Amino acid sequence: GNSVTQMEGPVTLSEEAFLTINCTYTATGYPSLFWYVQYPGEGLQLLLKATKADDKGSNKGFEATYRKETTSFHLEKGSVQVSDSAVYFCALSLFSTINAGGTSYGKLTFGQGTILTVHP
Amino acid sequence: NAGVTQTPKFRVLKTGQSMTLLCAQDMNHEYMYWYRQDPGMGLRLIHYSVGEGTTAKGEVPDGYNVSRLKKQNFLLGLESAAPSQTSVYFCASRHRDRGLRETQYFGPGTRLLVL
């Protein structure tokens, strides 16, 4: 089956520190990969995505590269801010294609989430 | 354009009570989803719908029912609530694939406490 594994948290950093949150996946087929962010008391927002191998997604200073050879999609930011404190979720979705088992219908499979706290 | 909205934001139920969570989207999305979020487990798919009048089971469907009578609404029902259903529930929606890798958009969540 499909699965996503994120590094264990919580992660606590000082402002301007470098951030890496590891994410690896297992999937049958060719997944799209996503990072979602959940700020306190809010729903999930798409942070970035990549739809094929070697693609780099980027947004708000965050980056992640789709590495098919290592089945990874690690999230990085060069200098974190207090406002980056949130829960980060890695997720995958298989492209909806009609096959012998039916379609995936874009269902997302999530990792367990990583809590990031940034101190001034 | 409100995106995805959920009603109610918070609810307390006693064991055995029933309730319905409402999700509405104004983006004309074909696909809609219900997830539950529990500590340390990420989000898990309960049920989903690929169009008006159609629903399907996700990863953790037991104890829940859903209906999609209108394209813009997706209802999640708990017929007899149990403490194990204490969770935060998220609704999401997206377009069907149109040759692009579509993004799911999430609502703000409903926090449910079952005593």
Side-chain angles (χ1 to χ4, degrees):
Chain A
N2 304 319
S3 66
V4 176
T5 302
Q6 287 180 237
M7 68 183 287
E8 298 269 341
V11 175
T12 303
L13 295 173
S14 297
E15 207 164 24
E16 299 184 2
F18 184 85
L19 169 71
T20 299
I21 301 178
N22 289 340
C23 171
T24 58
Y25 67 90
T26 303
T28 54
Y30 303 97
S32 294
L33 301 173
F34 305 83
W35 277 101
Y36 279 86
V37 59
Q38 183 180 30
Y39 298 104
E42 298 183 11
L44 278 72
Q45 303 174 23
L46 178 68
L47 181 59
L48 53 83
K49 68 178 183 181
T51 59
K52 62 183 186 298
D54 299 324
D55 268 2
K56 178 185 284 187
S58 61
N59 186 27
K60 299 182 181 179
F62 291 89
E63 292 184 341
T65 301
Y66 188 142
R67 301 287 187 200
K68 187 178 178 182
E69 64 275 12
T70 54
T71 62
S72 65
F73 193 54
H74 304 321
L75 182 69
E76 297 182 336
K77 186 173 185 181
S79 177
V80 294
Q81 305 300 313
V82 173
S83 57
D84 294 326
S85 298
V87 183
Y88 292 81
F89 292 94
C90 186
L92 70 82
S93 174
L94 289 176
F95 189 53
S96 293
T97 57
I98 298 175
N99 54 40
T103 72
S104 71
Y105 295 118
K107 290 175 285 182
L108 285 168
T109 299
F110 285 89
Q112 73 271 33
T114 301
I115 300 172
L116 170 66
T117 303
V118 181
H119 293 298
Chain B
N1 189 332
V4 181
T5 57
Q6 293 183 231
T7 310
K9 288 184 168 45
F10 176 68
R11 184 75 181 269
V12 179
L13 290 180
K14 294 181 180 177
T15 298
Q17 287 186 316
S18 64
M19 78 163 293
T20 300
L21 284 68
L22 171 63
C23 175
Q25 53 92 5
D26 61 2
M27 296 174 280
N28 201 32
H29 286 168
E30 291 82 8
Y31 297 175
M32 296 186 74
Y33 311 82
W34 275 108
Y35 296 89
R36 60 176 289 172
Q37 181 183 26
D38 301 294
M41 301 186 75
L43 279 74
R44 293 179 293 168
L45 183 64
I46 305 171
H47 286 282
Y48 64 100
S49 168
V50 300
E52 186 176 320
T54 70
T55 63
K57 293 180 181 179
E59 204 182 336
V60 288
D62 294 341
Y64 305 95
N65 56 76
V66 287
S67 64
R68 183 116 179 255
L69 299 179
K70 294 183 179 180
K71 186 177 183 179
Q72 63 267 35
N73 296 336
F74 194 29
L75 278 63
L76 178 71
L78 287 74
E79 289 188 350
S80 179
S84 61
Q85 294 177 304
T86 293
S87 187
V88 181
Y89 292 85
F90 287 100
C91 177
S93 70
R94 55 162 272 182
H95 282 297
R96 63 174 174 78
D97 287 320
R98 299 171 293 180
L100 304 171
R101 303 300 176 102
E102 302 292 340
T103 299
Q104 282 191 26
Y105 294 89
F106 283 79
T110 294
R111 189 172 297 274
L112 176 65
L113 175 61
V114 183
L115 301 175

